[in-house]
């Protein structure tokens, strides 16, 4: 596996692969890799001739007071994990290496960013869309794989790619979970042992809510109230940021369940803000 830091070197290498008729897969990450990221890499690996993994803690998607400066890092571990998944090129730009000092161009999909994490983290998806577009311009991938834990991010990237005619196939990969159901996340590293022991309640509550809706519950406010109560009881140290039922494609809250809905939550547990979701097909 080759490891590079220079964006233009990445672009030259990928253009050369394209000229040779090779297909390119991209897995964008912010590092501190876990089994969830590795599943995305393995999935991409099977679908392309050359696999590029980017590792960049993108400053423009962090708001003031968020964990940009504390974001966990393990470059050596990340190198070994990307290599073990058959990565051809690991792109690790320097912290300031993706943006010119006078960078002035932004990509945003505000319609899909009004709710859930977009409401709690103003500017977050503008930063995500901008860096992902830059990565697409550099790596010129035929396909890119993102996890469904960040469902809203995935929906926004799909819409951006469609609206801007970016020639890349976006693949959403199922959520990878710990044995007790907690969705894997680099931010799980912030949890104390007690918080970690309680955190699987996030998933358990979502599963109960999904069962209720599948069994015929149609009262959205009632379902959300049930989940908040469930978290108050099962995860008393958690602070709910949002509990929402939204349309899975346009991420607008639903007032009645008439088709597939996404139940999505964000809960602060100690220093970690944990998100999870479940798609409910009725
Ligand atoms: O999901 C992430 O890790 C980040 O938002 C991404 C897609 C790598 C962009 O920085």
């Amino acid at each position: 596996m080759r490891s590079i830091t220079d964006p233009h070197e990445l672009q030259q290498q990928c253009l050369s692969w394209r000229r040779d008729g090779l297909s390119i897969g991209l897995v964008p990450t912010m590092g501190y890799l876990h089994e969830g990221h590795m599943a995305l890499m393995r999935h991409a690996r099977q679908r392309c001739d050359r696999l590029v993994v980017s590792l960049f803690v993108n400053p423009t998607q962090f708001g003031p007071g968020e964990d940009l400066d504390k974001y966990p890092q393990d470059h050596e571990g990340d190198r070994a994990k990307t290599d073990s998944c058959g990565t051809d090129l690991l792109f690790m730009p320097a912290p300031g290496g993706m943006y010119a000092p006078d960078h002035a161009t932004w990509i945003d999909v505000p319609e899909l960013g009004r709710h859930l994490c977009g409401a709690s983290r103003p500017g977050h998806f503008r930063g995500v869309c901008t860096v992902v577009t830059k990565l697409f311009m550099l790596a010129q991938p035929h396909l890119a794989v993102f996890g469904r834990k960040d469902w809203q991010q995935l929906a926004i990237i799909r819409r951006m790619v469609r609206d801007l005619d970016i020639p890349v196939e976006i693949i959403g990969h199922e959520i990878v979970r710990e044995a007790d159901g907690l969705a894997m996340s680099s931010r799980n590293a912030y949890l104390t042992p007690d918080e970690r022991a309680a955190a699987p309640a996030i998933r358990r509550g979502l599963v109960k809510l999904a069962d209720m809706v599948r069994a015929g519950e149609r009262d959205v406010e009632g379902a959300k109230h049930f989940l908040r109560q469930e978290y108050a009881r099962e995860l008393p140290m958690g602070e709910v940021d949002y509990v929402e039922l939204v349309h899975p494609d346009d991420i607008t809250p639903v007032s009645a369940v008439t088709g597939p809905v996404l139940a999505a939550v964000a809960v602060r547990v100690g220093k970690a803000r944990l998100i999870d979701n479940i798609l409910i097909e009725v």
Side-chain angles (χ1 to χ4, degrees):
M1 181 184 74
R2 215 175 121 210
S3 176
I4 59 172
T5 57
D6 178 3
H8 291 108
E9 206 179 332
L10 169 67
Q11 197 172 48
Q12 290 314 311
Q13 175 62 83
C14 291
L15 286 171
S16 150
W17 280 335
R18 273 196 168 249
R19 277 194 298 271
D20 292 343
L22 299 170
S23 64
I24 301 169
L26 173 69
V27 178
T29 82
M30 297 206 301
Y32 208 67
L33 303 176
H34 49 67
E35 196 47 46
H37 296 108
M38 291 169 80
L40 308 187
M41 292 177 209
R42 289 190 202 107
H43 187 84
R45 173 68 284 172
Q46 288 169 1
R47 303 259 327 251
C48 62
D49 299 317
R50 293 290 179 269
L51 174 59
V52 178
V53 174
S54 65
L55 195 164
F56 178 62
V57 183
N58 173 37
T60 65
Q61 69 188 72
F62 288 78
E66 291 189 351
D67 55 347
L68 173 62
D69 299 332
K70 292 177 269 149
Y71 200 80
Q73 288 193 355
D74 174 14
H75 288 178
E76 278 324 299
D78 287 350
R79 244 186 265 275
K81 286 175 188 152
T82 41
D83 198 13
S84 75
C85 292
T87 303
D88 296 285
L89 192 57
L90 174 62
F91 174 54
M92 289 176 67
M98 284 290 281
Y99 297 96
D102 57 351
H103 177 94
T105 307
W106 300 98
I107 311 283
D108 203 2
V109 187
E111 292 292 325
L112 272 66
R114 291 200 207 296
H115 304 284
L116 309 188
C117 292
S120 315
R121 305 182 66 189
H124 169 67
F125 288 118
R126 185 180 87 144
V128 170
C129 288
T130 303
V131 81
V132 169
T133 304
K134 284 169 71 66
L135 290 167
F136 286 169
M137 301 305 286
L138 293 169
Q140 312 261 324
H142 294 79
L143 61 92
V145 188
F146 297 85
R148 287 194 204 131
K149 179 170 73 69
D150 297 288
W151 185 287
Q152 187 176 20
Q153 167 172 283
L154 179 62
I156 286 176
I157 291 170
R158 280 192 200 286
R159 187 67 66 92
M160 173 184 87
V161 160
R162 190 205 70 181
D163 289 353
L164 297 181
D165 303 307
I166 303 177
V168 57
E169 180 190 354
I170 302 298
I171 299 173
H173 192 283
E174 65 186 304
I175 300 176
V176 181
R177 299 182 179 281
E178 303 286 355
D180 58 11
L182 179 65
M184 289 195 185
S185 164
S186 305
R187 290 185 167 105
N188 291 351
Y190 297 147
L191 298 171
T192 65
D194 283 351
E195 290 163 354
R196 173 63 190 82
I202 296 176
R203 162 76 174 165
R204 283 200 303 274
L206 279 168
V207 170
K208 282 188 190 171
L209 178 132
D211 287 345
M212 275 171 63
V213 174
R214 287 190 195 110
E217 174 63 81
R218 293 291 174 266
D219 171 11
V220 167
E221 287 311 315
K224 292 195 300 195
H225 180 67
F226 162 81
L227 193 50
R228 283 181 178 272
Q229 280 192 322
E230 190 74 12
Y231 289 158
R233 198 175 48 247
E234 298 285 319
L235 192 60
M237 74 276 271
E239 193 191 313
V240 173
D241 181 355
Y242 62 75
V243 161
E244 259 321 335
L245 266 71
V246 296
H247 187 283
D249 296 329
D250 64 18
I251 318 293
T252 49
V254 296
S255 51
V257 180
T258 54
V261 285
L262 183 83
V265 298
V267 185
R268 284 178 201 286
V269 183
K271 294 198 183 87
R273 180 177 175 281
L274 304 178
I275 60 172
D276 202 347
N277 64 70
I278 192 164
L279 181 65
I280 312 171
E281 317 226 40
V282 288

